[in-house]
Amino acid sequence: MSNELTPAPAAFDASYLATAELDARYYLDQVMAMVGVDGLVEALAQPFLLAKVDQHAAAVRQSITAAGRNIDSISLAGYARSVIAVHQRHGRPLPTPDSIDWSDADWTVLRLVSVCSLADAADAF
């Protein structure tokens, strides 16, 4: 027996990617339930909010593509996880639909709604 790792078979890679994809889609679905649905509905009703979401979406898109990644469920879920982790690290509670003032939504909420917008456009749910 040796200490060297043997390469995983190709089927393992496909299986891993399928699991990662499902996990990412599930996570994005949770973010959509947390802020995305209400945020996108509000954005469609309030042009100033839609403009903010579009600006944040452009920044998210630029960040992901600058890292050499595609705009897909895995990249978007990873981005959302990072935003939420920083938010929690600062000791702030996660937003809920009832706690958000859409006329003055904070950076975290706008970033997460923009991730949901990009996920919807990329059919990443």
Side-chain angles (χ1 to χ4, degrees), residues 60-70 75:
V60 170
R61 188 180 307 107
Q62 182 180 11
S63 177
I64 290 172
T65 58
R69 307 288 310 261
N70 293 323
S75 296

Side-chain angles (χ1 to χ4, degrees), residues 10-125:
F12 173 80
D13 292 340
S15 162
Y16 172 77
L17 290 176
T19 300
E21 176 86 15
L22 288 173
D23 289 346
R25 286 176 179 266
Y26 177 75
Y27 192 82
L28 288 171
D29 195 43
Q30 290 178 313
V31 175
M32 183 63 105
M34 181 173 56
V35 296
V37 172
D38 289 349
L40 293 172
V41 167
E42 287 292 326
L44 290 173
Q46 301 179 34
F48 79 93
L49 183 58
L50 182 59
K52 287 182 180 182
V53 170
D54 285 346
Q55 288 174 340
H56 280 265
V60 170
R61 188 180 307 107
Q62 182 180 11
S63 177
I64 290 172
T65 58
R69 307 288 310 261
N70 293 323
I71 305 297
D72 58 18
S73 59
I74 294 173
S75 296
L76 290 167
Y79 192 96
R81 279 186 179 101
S82 297
V83 169
I84 290 171
V86 169
H87 187 82
Q88 289 178 315
R89 208 172 294 133
H90 287 276
R92 297 169 51 204
L94 288 176
T96 61
D98 298 338
S99 70
I100 300 168
D101 174 5
W102 291 107
S103 65
D104 191 30
D106 70 7
W107 186 92
T108 299
V109 169
L110 292 170
R111 230 17 169 223
L112 293 174
V113 172
S114 72
V115 167
C116 291
S117 174
L118 290 169
D120 186 48
D123 196 28
F125 289 105

